[in-house]
Amino acid sequence: MVNVKKGVLVTSDPAFRQLLIHLDDSRQLGSKFIIRELDDTHLFIEKEIVPMLESKVEQIMENMNPETNDNK
């Protein structure tokens, strides 16, 4: 039997890939979203999660860089 899922190929550096894996493992977006870990720089993730993932990553980046928060 063949299983088909719509997904998005994500290319990143290894550090950002680890952040995505952490978000997936800890289910911070409500569920697991990584369909397949392809190699050190590529992940195949569920298409539906992309808007929530972008928002979460933006939030994390803002929290890591407080200087940009002061300019808003």
Side-chain angles (χ1 to χ4, degrees):
M1 173 172 269
V2 176
N3 292 328
V4 177
K5 288 189 176 186
K6 287 187 180 183
V8 176
L9 178 65
V10 176
T11 303
S12 68
D13 63 0
F16 188 74
R17 178 182 178 274
Q18 287 301 317
L19 173 64
L20 294 177
I21 291 171
H22 170 73
L23 292 174
D24 184 63
D25 288 343
S26 62
R27 299 177 190 232
Q28 290 191 27
L29 300 178
S31 65
K32 291 184 138 314
F33 57 88
I34 295 176
I35 298 170
R36 172 102 35 206
E37 296 178 35
L38 302 174
D39 60 29
D40 289 343
T41 58
H42 296 92
L43 297 170
F44 192 61
I45 66 170
E46 292 184 14
K47 182 179 180 181
E48 298 79 23
I49 205 78
V50 171
M52 289 187 340
L53 181 59
E54 288 173 340
S55 176
K56 184 66 172 178
V57 168
E58 184 176 318
Q59 177 187 14
I60 291 170
M61 297 307 283
E62 286 175 359
N63 290 339
M64 289 176 59
N65 193 359
E67 295 171 4
T68 59
N69 289 340
D70 294 339
N71 295 333
K72 289 185 178 180

